[in-house]
Amino acid sequence: MPKSLFWTRTDTAGAEHALLDDSQGLAARGTLLAVDPIPWTGRYQVTTTPDWTTTRVEVEVEGSGWLRSVRLERAADRWRVTTAEQGDLDAALAAAGQRPAGLPGTDDPDRLGEALDVDLGGSPLFNALPVHRLGLAARPADTAYRITVAWVLVPSLVVVPAEQIYTSLGSGRVRFSTDTFSADIDLDAEGYVVRYPGLAERPASR
């Protein structure tokens, strides 16, 4: 993997480190760490086509006494979702006074049919998927796209369809928004997140 990106979380204690090759679409693997709602470590792999349409994502999340995994594979305009679990995440959440997470994955993969991108919760890398696929860095300011993504919640690994809006703001910035949230994201010259207000930022190189 010829490229390495690192982010520190600004909303909670945590970080992300991604190794990637974007010479023909994206092939990446990374590690996530966070303490919210309980301490957990996540590992992921993501693969896209040359035009940055996501074809495969694998995520594994682990904490004290539990481990969950989910695999999403897209073929013939449909998503296949496979999950596994060891231990009991809900028991760990209950012991920490947190709400239960529910079952990983989705009970109806057909609800994800329109999604060409996957959004992994807490990961700035995954914002690069629609940014590149839509060519947002080269679009005129105020060009907006409403898309459906397969949103993978962490640490539960519940997968749900979600509508998101990406708007080009020009000068290396895009606006990410939903019906209840909005953030203006700073990108580097290659279209990767430098600063995502309220989530994460890349530390300055020394």
Side-chain angles (χ1 to χ4, degrees):
M1 295 292 184
K3 295 182 180 180
S4 173
L5 299 175
F6 188 93
W7 292 269
T8 56
R9 292 282 290 267
T10 56
D11 60 335
T12 188
E16 175 178 3
H17 180 215
L19 298 168
L20 58 105
D21 183 342
D22 57 6
S23 58
Q24 296 188 27
L26 181 68
R29 61 178 181 268
T31 301
L32 297 164
L33 299 163
V35 299
D36 185 27
I38 56 175
W40 56 269
T41 299
R43 290 164 289 273
Y44 64 77
Q45 296 186 54
V46 53
T47 305
T48 76
T49 62
D51 70 356
W52 286 74
T53 298
T54 305
T55 55
R56 183 182 180 97
V57 173
E58 296 182 64
V59 187
E60 180 180 87
V61 178
E62 184 175 14
S64 178
W66 60 273
L67 182 149
R68 286 185 170 192
S69 65
V70 65
R71 182 171 66 246
L72 293 88
E73 299 170 288
R74 181 177 175 82
D77 297 328
R78 297 189 65 185
W79 285 99
R80 179 183 178 189
V81 181
T82 308
T83 64
E85 180 174 18
Q86 300 174 31
D88 192 338
L89 169 58
D90 281 345
L93 288 167
Q98 302 289 338
R99 298 175 59 183
L103 297 175
T106 176
D107 57 1
D108 186 4
D110 287 341
R111 295 177 61 212
L112 308 173
E114 295 183 8
L116 300 179
D117 311 286
V118 173
D119 186 4
L120 177 60
S123 169
L125 176 73
F126 279 73
N127 293 102
L129 300 175
V131 166
H132 283 78
R133 183 177 63 80
L134 299 170
L136 274 179
R139 302 296 184 190
D142 297 324
T143 303
Y145 295 89
R146 181 181 289 270
I147 63 174
T148 299
V149 304
W151 184 24
V152 182
L153 284 64
V154 289
S156 68
L157 301 186
V158 172
V159 181
V160 296
E163 283 200 348
Q164 300 177 348
I165 301 172
Y166 278 82
T167 305
S168 172
L169 300 179
S171 302
R173 303 182 76 207
V174 298
R175 176 169 294 145
F176 168 84
S177 58
T178 67
D179 291 339
T180 59
F181 176 82
S182 180
D184 291 352
I185 301 172
D186 296 324
L187 307 173
D188 65 15
E190 296 182 303
Y192 296 102
V193 173
V194 174
R195 179 174 176 270
Y196 187 136
L199 179 67
E201 60 185 24
R202 299 235 299 270
S205 299
R206 294 184 178 180

